[in-house]
Amino acid sequence: MQNKLPLYIILSLLLLLILATAALYMGVYEFEKHSFFEIFKALINDDNSIPESDKFVLMDLRLPRIVMAILIGSALSVSGTCLQGMFKNPLASPDLIGITSGAILFGAISIVLGTHIKPYIPEVFHFSLLSIAAFLGALLTMTIVYRISTSNGKTNVVVMLLSGVAVTAMAFSTTGFLIYLSKEEELRDLTFWNLGSLGGATWTKNAILAVVIIVAFSFLITKGKALNAMMLGERDAQHLGIPVEKIKKRIIILTALLVGTCVAFSGNIGFVGLIVPYILRLIFKSNYHIILPMSAVFGSILLLTADTISRTIAAPSEIPIGILTAFMGAPIFIAILVRSKKSM
């Protein structure tokens, strides 16, 4: 099956390309030139044969949003896959163990209290305050949950979930208090955060996301064999020459970086890191050498599909994408609980 990995990736990338092309044409606005090749030929040649409105919708609205869905879906899915491999449990995903809520809380603090915080930090960080805060929140909650649930190198699954519930409750209660204190404009931003949306996609944000993902994936995607060995037990993995503690620390930091950046730009989009690894595990068992690269593509497919549905099912209004992913993820979460209740 591992020999067929390049074929699987090529086929899934083709599916992603087809979905992205279809998403360009789905929406309230209809292009005057309906041919995909005609529109892009006109854009490349810059011959002004297509209206400015077509160019604006394509290049400034739909295409950045599609790219952001691809990037964030991939990042959240790989984050969930790595956490499940590290904790050796299919319930470990960024939103269920409190990482997402921690990122949202610190982002909310930067939104509501940013004017009071900025005088005490260097000016160069002012425009990145939201992203930095989200990353720190994700890293802090990830570290807290890991420390509470792990003892002597072993993770207690029940403690992990309960600590995630506790951290999430504290984060959301504090976020609720910040909502109470917020002004009208801040309230709109916080509402966007809690529901999740890709409506604020821009090429600048996509460039930042792409850099973060390239840095994180250069380490994470190649650790499939190490996660396979860690599934057997950390002592056995160490005997095979795998630096377990070093890998775990890097997974914690890079996962927090990915989740924090995604939350900074899109708000709370849950269950992507739970749905994709679960489906891939049904197909490829628990072979992380295959699941990790495949999750990078299928996470993009899932979020792109959800985003396309969210902006077309109730057009011209838009359903927050976090609602759709939660609607898809909750039944899968229940299915995982039913399948693993004996082992837990």
Side-chain angles (χ1 to χ4, degrees), residues 82-92 97 142-164 230 233-234 244-245 248 252 343-344:
C82 289
L83 289 176
Q84 290 174 20
M86 187 182 81
F87 282 108
K88 298 186 283 292
N89 190 273
L91 294 173
I97 62 175
M142 176 75 202
T143 304
I144 290 172
V145 170
Y146 178 73
R147 295 288 185 186
I148 292 174
S149 61
T150 303
S151 178
N152 298 322
K154 292 184 178 181
T155 302
N156 187 310
V157 179
V158 175
V159 174
M160 177 191 70
L161 290 174
L162 291 176
S163 60
M230 288 167 65
E234 293 183 6
V244 174
E245 289 303 316
K248 285 163 67 175
I252 289 172
S343 61
M344 290 176 63

Side-chain angles (χ1 to χ4, degrees), residues 18-255:
I18 292 169
L19 290 172
T21 305
L24 277 175
Y25 287 92
M26 297 182 70
V28 177
Y29 183 86
E30 293 185 2
F31 298 108
E32 289 191 15
K33 287 191 174 183
H34 296 287
S35 169
F36 174 83
F37 296 103
E38 284 181 329
I39 293 173
F40 272 88
K41 184 180 178 181
L43 287 171
I44 293 170
N45 296 331
D46 195 22
D47 56 8
N48 296 320
S49 61
I50 61 174
E52 287 297 323
S53 58
D54 283 13
K55 288 183 181 180
F56 175 77
V57 171
L58 181 69
M59 299 303 296
D60 294 326
L61 295 180
R62 289 190 187 171
L63 202 53
R65 184 166 180 153
I66 289 169
V67 172
M68 181 173 278
I70 291 171
L71 292 173
I72 289 180
S74 181
L76 293 177
S77 178
V78 170
S79 298
T81 304
C82 289
L83 289 176
Q84 290 174 20
M86 187 182 81
F87 282 108
K88 298 186 283 292
N89 190 273
L91 294 173
S93 67
D95 40 299
L96 291 179
I97 62 175
I99 302 175
T100 304
S101 61
I104 290 173
L105 170 59
F106 275 62
I109 291 172
S110 71
I111 290 173
V112 178
L113 305 178
T115 54
H116 303 286
I117 297 172
K118 286 179 180 179
Y120 299 98
I121 62 174
E123 190 174 347
V124 68
F125 295 120
H126 285 192
F127 294 104
S128 305
L129 180 60
L130 182 60
S131 301
I132 294 170
F135 165 66
L136 291 176
L139 181 61
L140 179 62
T141 50
M142 176 75 202
T143 304
I144 290 172
V145 170
Y146 178 73
R147 295 288 185 186
I148 292 174
S149 61
T150 303
S151 178
N152 298 322
K154 292 184 178 181
T155 302
N156 187 310
V157 179
V158 175
V159 174
M160 177 191 70
L161 290 174
L162 291 176
S163 60
V165 170
V167 168
T168 300
M170 290 179 62
F172 275 118
S173 62
T174 310
T175 304
F177 180 66
L178 290 170
I179 290 173
Y180 175 75
L181 296 177
S182 63
K183 299 175 183 177
E184 186 176 347
E185 184 178 347
E186 296 165 350
L187 180 61
R188 284 197 299 268
D189 292 337
L190 289 171
T191 302
F192 152 79
W193 268 62
N194 285 322
L195 296 178
S197 172
L198 301 179
T202 64
W203 290 115
T204 302
K205 291 178 181 179
N206 286 337
I208 296 170
L209 271 170
V211 171
V212 170
I213 287 171
I214 289 170
V215 171
F217 280 18
S218 63
F219 174 82
L220 296 176
I221 294 292
T222 60
K223 292 297 174 282
K225 291 182 179 179
L227 289 175
N228 285 343
M230 288 167 65
M231 290 289 288
L232 302 174
E234 293 183 6
R235 287 187 179 179
D236 292 335
Q238 287 175 337
H239 289 316
L240 294 173
I242 293 170
V244 174
E245 289 303 316
K246 185 178 179 181
I247 289 175
K248 285 163 67 175
K249 288 177 182 178
R250 288 189 179 181
I251 288 176
I252 289 172
I253 293 172
L254 293 175
T255 299

